[in-house]
Amino acid sequence: VHLENPEFHTRWYFKYFLGKVHQNYVALDGIKNPIVLSVCLTDADNYGVPQYRAILWRKTGSEKICIVYSPNKPISAKVILKSFGVEKLEKGPREVSSPEFQQELLTLEEQEGSVNYKFGVLYAKAGQTSDDEMFSNETGSEEFNRFLELLGDRVELQGWQGYRGGLDVKNDMTGSQSVFTIYEGHEIMFHVSSLLPYTPDNPQQVERKRHIGNDIVTIVFQDTDDEYKPSFSPLGVKSKFIHIFALVTYNKHDDSYRVTVYSERNVPIFGPPLPCPPVFHSHLEFRNFLLVKLINGEKAAYASPIFSIRRQRTLDSLITRLWQDHMHEKLSVRNSWGNAISESPRGHRRKHSEREQLFLQFGQSLKLKTIVKGDAPTSLQTSTSANIKPWQPQFVYEDFPHKVLCGDSWGDSVLLGTEEGIYLVQEGKSMRQLFDRSVICQQLYVLEAYGLLLFRVEKSKEFHNPRVCVFKLSDLEEDEDVVFTREDCKKHKLDRTKGCHLFAALRSSQPLFLAVACGRKVALLKWKHPLVWSSWAVGNVRDMTEGFELIREVTFSEPAILLTILLTESQEPLLCAGYKNNFDLVQRTGEIKRVHSVDTQKTTLVSAIDVYEDHEPELLLTFNRKCLFKRLNGKNSSNFYLNWNSAPQFVVCAFPYLLAFTTNTIEIRLVVNGNLVHTLVLPNLRVITSKVT
């Protein structure tokens, strides 16, 4: 149960820029659309390590990235724009130094959605189907009132100082009381039908409909004798604004709540997914689930056409006006005064200092006003206990003395390839060296089902070309005092791997498949021995090194930089190779088919992951800062591109999450919609292995 795109991760301008030294630019992109760029150099939330944070504002919304800071390598606004994929500019970028510009950017950020929420709560008696009937319930039942107590605290509206959600707090025009709560920093005001003004002679109860009918998300609590057959239907409520209903029923026999969620067809998928059956016996778990579902639902609803088109118009109007107002504004000095991208000229230090002071004072004052107004994502106070996150780090071994080059898990242990050889590391035990420093490997696979260890050794005096070596895992366990050398590896060289610069194995398959890239050639190999061969074969080193037979060999136009083996439903192996800016698929016939081509000047291919969906192989392709799902016929299998905040070096699919690893962060998003749920900051991070166990 996670809040998606949480504000303390997504409201960057308020958190990292406002009231601090940063630089802002306006420009016209290659297709003549106005854009705004904000850049700051900050060490916030990064263990004191400086990095660039940048926000690009367009009419379609904002994009955010982190870029590694190098003190000896200056960076320009154009370079940062290229990181966003903006290769060409019609005009600009032009720096804007006006302090008031911060107010405009804060307004832009606020278009992404509210920090605080108002949700409708509509009480329905058993058998009621129309909104006129439900809105005409003057009071609620005892079960309904207990449900309100679970949702939040009942507060007096007159003189209320917190978030009011459009309710009158001076003259009791919208009732004297309401229900309010705070969840993970979000203030939530509930528009409760039985607490809003009731008009006896008005069957439509316009005052109640005016508030609840204009909420995006509404809870319907229905009394019912049969929780499986409530009479409520979303068609019974006439509203063009409500996009999501959460129907709640209470079972007095076992003190449980059941919830059903209805949403408009155009609302994207949002979490958390409903349990099966959607029944909660723990009231606290139900409350947490319901509040998170409501918040995520409102955020998702903003992506539906009725809201997204309106937001695009607003953003387009705001950004166009900023472009028109500031593109021709003259700076009082030749160069930038800010220190995010370039240094200030010496002759203007005093003037720069005065301008910087004015800029900071205005930003800090604006930040304070936003906090006082209650519109700032600053508080993480909550009326519930903190949730235990599934991605808390667990230490296996501290103070490992060598630089890790590669590795893989082996049971409860980890095999690590280093510049000093290969080591076995076990929690609570001393590390053990398996191969000496003459064996330096850059790739390492432990195939436990087959009892094999595969690794790629680099070129040396003993090996004139890189090779893939194979050892039985049982050989590594026989004598703990034996340390293997490069000389031992000579006998364990795999055939057809001379000059190998990259290899991949399909760990979970039977039989075992191996792909080996040697220059522009890639060979697909198959293990010809039975699964249990390594456990009973004695002394047959030659049988092991010749144990892979060639299935097919293909030649690409460039050397492959990534390889992935996939299995079809009929257990046929397919090979995906990435090189230059292309992802290609080798068919059963050996024919090479283009799956995806990246249309940017500078392309970094990261990974191609087999995510196998609905009995059909499917690829998750990662390049630059983007991810997308592709079917093997080249068609997109999802309607969204996933943009990471930092350029990943490694991506893992651990359903329902996608994890992107950079040099200092793990960014965690949901597979179903690409929404961010968490970012872990871990300096000097390096991925050793990822394995489904």
Side-chain angles (χ1 to χ4, degrees):
V1 178
H2 312 294
L3 287 178
E4 298 172 13
N5 294 328
E7 277 71 10
F8 53 94
H9 284 316
T10 59
R11 300 298 276 269
W12 275 22
Y13 190 76
F14 180 89
K15 185 173 181 179
Y16 300 111
F17 292 69
L18 189 60
K20 297 168 185 173
V21 174
H22 65 278
Q23 289 165 260
N24 302 307
Y25 300 85
V26 292
L28 211 59
D29 66 15
I31 53 176
K32 298 186 177 180
N33 286 324
I35 56 176
V36 177
L37 175 70
S38 297
V39 185
C40 74
L41 180 61
T42 176
D43 60 6
D45 293 345
N46 200 38
Y47 285 87
V49 179
Q51 64 177 346
Y52 295 109
R53 288 185 185 265
I55 308 173
L56 180 65
W57 317 84
R58 313 185 210 225
K59 68 178 181 181
T60 52
S62 67
E63 286 184 54
K64 307 168 184 72
I65 59 171
C66 294
I67 301 174
V68 175
Y69 168 69
S70 176
N72 300 320
K73 190 177 179 182
I75 194 168
S76 68
K78 286 187 176 181
V79 170
I80 292 175
L81 286 170
K82 284 183 180 179
S83 299
F84 284 107
V86 181
E87 302 284 350
K88 295 181 180 178
L89 292 173
E90 186 72 18
K91 288 185 180 179
R94 180 81 177 183
E95 186 176 356
V96 181
S97 59
S98 166
E100 290 77 14
F101 198 69
Q102 296 171 92
Q103 173 69 72
E104 308 281 4
L105 295 182
L106 191 60
T107 303
L108 277 180
E109 185 166 75
E110 287 171 353
Q111 302 309 309
E112 296 184 14
S114 175
V115 172
N116 302 316
Y117 296 88
K118 54 187 182 71
F119 298 131
V121 183
L122 182 59
Y123 170 65
K125 293 180 180 178
Q128 290 184 335
T129 57
S130 72
D131 54 359
D132 285 351
E133 291 176 312
M134 299 177 208
F135 281 110
S136 295
N137 293 324
E138 187 172 357
T139 59
S141 62
E142 183 181 341
E143 289 81 7
F144 177 65
N145 289 327
R146 280 206 302 270
F147 171 67
L148 293 181
E149 291 174 7
L150 180 63
L151 281 183
D153 303 315
R154 195 166 291 210
V155 296
E156 298 292 332
L157 287 176
Q158 194 164 36
W160 174 250
Q161 297 294 314
Y163 175 66
R164 61 190 184 90
L167 299 179
D168 176 48
V169 295
K170 293 182 179 178
N171 303 308
D172 288 343
M173 299 292 289
T174 54
S176 60
Q177 293 182 327
S178 191
V179 175
F180 174 86
T181 193
I182 296 175
Y183 187 84
E184 294 200 11
H186 300 285
E187 295 184 60
I188 302 172
M189 181 63 79
F190 295 96
H191 294 158
V192 183
S193 61
S194 60
L195 297 179
L196 289 166
Y198 174 75
T199 310
D201 301 327
N202 186 345
Q204 292 194 341
Q205 299 298 325
V206 175
E207 185 61 27
R208 290 180 169 183
K209 286 184 179 179
R210 183 168 70 86
H211 288 283
I212 297 176
N214 284 306
D215 291 328
I216 297 172
V217 180
T218 292
I219 303 169
V220 177
F221 182 95
Q222 184 158 46
D223 289 334
T224 176
D225 296 326
D226 186 350
E227 64 169 336
Y228 297 102
K229 295 180 180 178
S231 60
F232 171 79
S233 167
L235 300 176
V237 179
K238 301 178 184 68
S239 170
K240 293 181 179 180
F241 215 73
I242 300 176
H243 277 56
I244 295 164
F245 288 99
L247 174 63
V248 176
T249 56
Y250 175 72
N251 186 334
K252 63 180 74 173
H253 301 295
D254 62 2
D255 191 29
S256 67
Y257 287 98
R258 172 181 285 266
V259 62
T260 307
V261 178
Y262 304 89
S263 62
E264 286 279 352
R265 186 177 300 173
N266 292 321
V267 174
I269 295 173
F270 59 94
L274 285 170
C276 185
V279 175
F280 295 84
H281 294 279
S282 166
H283 293 188
L284 181 59
E285 283 183 15
F286 169 64
R287 179 184 188 274
N288 289 341
F289 177 91
L290 184 62
L291 292 179
V292 172
K293 191 73 174 176
L294 299 179
I295 293 171
N296 289 344
E298 180 159 322
K299 291 178 182 179
Y302 279 116
S304 63
I306 191 172
F307 295 112
S308 62
I309 292 171
R310 187 185 304 173
R311 187 177 69 252
Q312 277 199 27
R313 286 177 187 156
T314 303
L315 287 172
D316 193 18
S317 173
L318 287 171
I319 294 171
T320 301
R321 181 171 55 78
L322 292 178
W323 155 261
Q324 291 169 346
D325 289 350
H326 297 283
M327 184 57 198
H328 303 292
E329 155 184 312
K330 290 186 178 180
L331 293 178
S332 57
V333 292
R334 183 173 57 87
N335 287 337
S336 162
W337 58 267
N339 66 355
I341 294 180
S342 55
E343 294 296 328
S344 306
R346 294 180 181 178
H348 298 278
R349 283 180 181 170
R350 182 179 296 178
K351 194 175 289 187
H352 287 184
S353 178
E354 292 172 1
R355 291 169 61 208
E356 182 177 324
Q357 200 61 35
L358 286 172
F359 189 89
L360 293 176
Q361 285 175 356
F362 186 91
Q364 289 162 2
S365 172
L366 184 59
K367 195 167 196 171
L368 183 60
K369 287 177 184 176
T370 308
I371 293 170
V372 171
K373 252 172 49 180
D375 292 336
T378 55
S379 170
L380 286 181
Q381 59 181 306
T382 173
S383 53
T384 62
S385 58
N387 294 327
I388 297 174
K389 304 298 184 187
W391 37 73
Q392 290 175 333
Q394 178 182 342
F395 288 103
V396 176
Y397 196 94
E398 295 189 58
D399 301 323
F400 187 72
H402 309 300
K403 180 182 178 182
V404 177
L405 301 176
C406 60
D408 202 355
S409 60
W410 178 11
D412 294 329
S413 310
V414 179
L415 271 181
L416 298 177
T418 76
E419 294 175 334
E420 299 296 322
I422 300 176
Y423 289 84
L424 179 67
V425 173
Q426 294 174 283
E427 188 175 5
K429 294 184 180 180
S430 299
M431 65 181 186
R432 176 188 158 207
Q433 188 166 17
L434 301 178
F435 293 80
D436 69 10
R437 63 183 305 175
S438 66
V439 181
I440 299 177
C441 67
Q442 297 291 344
Q443 272 186 285
L444 186 153
Y445 277 72
V446 175
L447 304 168
E448 291 185 65
Y450 291 86
L452 299 176
L453 167 66
L454 295 172
F455 58 85
R456 176 169 58 87
V457 291
E458 293 302 292
K459 183 177 178 181
S460 68
K461 290 179 181 179
E462 291 85 358
F463 286 101
H464 299 297
N465 291 286
R467 286 275 195 172
V468 176
C469 296
V470 57
F471 281 78
K472 289 194 289 186
L473 292 175
S474 57
D475 292 341
L476 308 180
E477 296 175 306
E478 285 179 356
D479 189 343
E480 293 193 1
D481 295 325
V482 172
V483 178
F484 293 94
T485 67
R486 193 102 181 183
E487 192 64 32
D488 297 312
C489 293
K490 282 185 179 182
K491 307 170 192 173
H492 290 258
K493 295 184 295 186
L494 270 185
D495 288 351
R496 303 182 185 277
T497 65
K498 182 180 178 181
C500 170
H501 68 273
L502 181 71
F503 79 95
L506 191 58
R507 305 172 190 267
S508 57
S509 70
Q510 187 177 347
L512 170 65
F513 293 101
L514 182 70
V516 179
C518 305
R520 295 190 297 114
K521 289 185 178 181
V522 177
L524 184 62
L525 309 172
K526 176 184 173 182
W527 182 247
K528 61 186 180 184
H529 298 303
L531 187 67
V532 295
W533 176 85
S534 65
S535 62
W536 54 258
V538 180
N540 295 311
V541 176
R542 195 65 192 159
D543 286 345
M544 184 166 55
T545 57
E546 294 179 351
F548 285 93
E549 58 187 6
L550 180 67
I551 297 178
R552 68 181 68 97
E553 187 175 73
V554 293
T555 302
F556 294 96
S557 59
E558 299 278 343
I561 58 176
L562 60 88
L563 293 172
T564 299
I565 306 171
L566 309 91
L567 279 184
T568 64
E569 194 174 359
S570 59
Q571 299 300 297
E572 283 287 328
L574 301 178
L575 177 64
C576 178
Y579 60 94
K580 210 168 181 180
N581 62 338
N582 302 314
F583 292 93
D584 285 356
L585 188 70
V586 181
Q587 308 276 35
R588 300 179 186 88
T589 59
E591 179 189 355
I592 299 175
K593 180 181 178 181
R594 181 66 38 85
V595 176
H596 186 73
S597 185
V598 185
D599 189 22
T600 57
Q601 292 179 0
K602 187 178 180 182
T603 302
T604 302
L605 303 187
V606 179
S607 64
I609 302 172
D610 177 16
V611 289
Y612 202 84
E613 182 70 22
D614 297 330
H615 305 291
E616 182 182 350
E618 186 178 359
L619 285 166
L620 174 66
L621 306 180
T622 306
F623 50 91
N624 299 341
R625 292 189 308 109
K626 293 183 181 293
C627 270
L628 77 157
F629 292 90
K630 281 274 188 178
R631 301 228 182 259
L632 299 192
N633 58 11
K635 292 183 179 179
N636 288 15
S637 53
S638 63
N639 58 357
F640 65 88
Y641 268 86
L642 194 156
N643 286 298
W644 301 101
N645 288 337
S646 300
Q649 297 179 329
F650 199 87
V651 172
V652 173
C653 181
F655 193 84
Y657 305 113
L658 287 176
L659 293 86
F661 295 81
T662 71
T663 53
N664 57 4
T665 62
I666 304 174
E667 196 174 325
I668 303 164
R669 293 177 179 267
L670 294 177
V671 173
V672 292
N673 54 20
N675 285 345
L676 177 71
V677 292
H678 196 62
T679 301
L680 271 171
V681 178
L682 297 168
N684 302 315
L685 179 67
R686 182 181 177 90
V687 178
I688 297 172
T689 185
S690 161
K691 182 187 284 186
V692 177
T693 59

